[in-house]
Each structure stands twice: as C-alpha cells, then as structure tokens.
Amino acid sequence: MSNRIPESELIINPDGSIYHLNLKPEHLASTIITVGDPDRVGKVSQYFDEIEYTMSKREFVTHTGRFQGKRMTVMSTGMGTDNIEIFMTELDALVNVDFETRFPKTKHTALNIIRVGTSGSMRREIPTGSLLASAYGIGLDTLMTFYQTTYSQSEINLGEAIQKLLGLPFRPYCVQGSQKLLKVLGEGLLIGNTVTCPGFFGPQGREVRAKPAIPDIIEKLGSLDVEGFKLTNFEMETAGYYAMGRLLGHEVLSLNAIVANRITHEFAKDADDIVEHLIQQTIKKMADY
C-alpha cells in the first residue's frame, strides 16, 4: 500500500476542501472544461441547463452543473504551467486520495479534462479564426525537470531537435495528448502540435522594453520539420496539462481558438466570437461523449 500523505504535503482546509481550489470531491464532475481567464467561466456555464455549485478562490473559479443531462465542471486556471501543476495535482487528489485517511485510493479515477483557450499561429496557412486541437504539447518551460517522467523515443528526439534549434540549455519536453478525446473533439478542427511558452513577451519573441534573447523564436519554431512533424501554434499551458495528465493518469486535450498570426502580424477583431464558437462546439460534443 502507498504511504500516507502528510499534512504538509497535501494541505486540506478545515472545512475539508483542498487548499488552492477550495473544492471538495463532491463538487467535481468527471468532465472538466478549463479556461485561463476567470471571467470566461461564466461564458461556458451560461449554456448549462442548471448550475449546482460555484466557488471562487484566487484565480480558480469553479462552476459545476448540467448540460443536456451531462454533469460538467468548468474551471479557470490562470496563466502558465506553474498554475497548471497546482491545478492538476489538486484535481487528481480530489478523486484519487481519501481525505479522511490521507492514503491514495486503490481504485484510480481518470478525469476528462479539456482546455479551451486562445492561441497564436506560427504558420501563414493557419489564419486567425481557425480552431485547432493539439495532438502534442511541447514545453519550453522547465516544469518537468522536477518530475520523473517517461517519454517515447520520438518525443525525446523532438525535444532534442528543438533544444538544438533554439540553443537552449535544457531539453524541452514533448508529450502526446489524449487520443480518445482527440477522436471525439478533433472532428472538424485542424490538428496541430502546440508549443507552450513560459511567458507572453520575451519567451514569444515580443519586445517592449526588455530585449528578448531569441527575437525570431516563432519563425525558428515554425521552420522545424522532423520527419514531417511540424509545430503549428503557441500558448502558455498545453504541455503542462499533457505532462501532468500522463503522470497522473487523466485524459487531457487542448483546444485552441487561433486569435493571432505572428507571421502575418494579424490579430482577430472578433476574438471573443471565435472563443464562443469553440466553447459551443466543445460542450455539445462532450454532452454526447
């Protein structure tokens, strides 16, 4: 049997809720739609037929309800893979740790977790307004340096190719998303490979007052071709989701509303409408899943 998890390692609030998310196990559905912006939670839950529970703690806003008879939870995470590490770990604990005994449960529960977020294109042929499902996430952050993670040889090769391309002192991590969810949610969408950047400005080659070390990073990443594997878009969470999902045994997929194209220097004037369209498609498909 696994060891008991000490109070210092998994913090449970006095009311029995988990520390950061402020949720109890019964507040969580097995289908979870995630968004970065707390204000976007209501833009998903407005389609629910009923909302049974709401919670707001830090950047983590939660609405749980039903859509066409399917129980769903929508939650905000804030930005960056550091937030995703907290989010995924506490979500997993809610369903796979007994809060009374502090022992992991003998029966594992796998959640369906779908990120619905905005993203930028690094390819001329993927214009603003596109909807894209991420087959792979590639992390330019160092989160997975702190976990024992297993990768396929092709994932290792891709990480090494990107490390060489950008001259990085560490190997980026590459992780495949849920193939089960991709079959359900990827229909009618572009399928791509998403780069997760550890920031919005310098790590994405933007210069305001501080000069980025790799100003042409998006162009360089867009030029990568490893036996037909190409990178399509970039954002700030997908790889963290995929890596933590693999470690913890959950089905995770990232869906992207392309609101900018860094090659053509366009930004969508109707960005909110593009996200809204993606939200509607996603909840309808998951209601039938």
Side-chain angles (χ1 to χ4, degrees), residues 31 81 126 134 148 157 168 210:
T31 293
T81 58
I126 301 179
S134 305
Q148 297 179 15
N157 293 344
L168 297 174

Side-chain angles (χ1 to χ4, degrees), residues 96-123:
N96 288 312
V97 175
D98 186 319
F99 281 14
E100 294 295 326
T101 66
R102 290 186 162 272
F103 280 93
K105 296 179 180 179
T106 55
K107 183 180 179 182
H108 177 268
T109 296
L111 298 169
N112 294 313
I113 303 167
I114 304 100
R115 172 194 175 270
V116 176
T118 57
S119 179
S121 169
M122 62 177 70
R123 307 200 73 82

Side-chain angles (χ1 to χ4, degrees), residues 199-221:
F200 185 79
F201 291 99
Q204 295 182 19
R206 290 185 173 97
E207 181 176 351
V208 180
R209 283 195 353 101
K211 190 171 182 63
I214 315 174
D216 56 347
I217 186 171
I218 298 303
E219 290 80 2
K220 283 186 174 181
L221 290 170

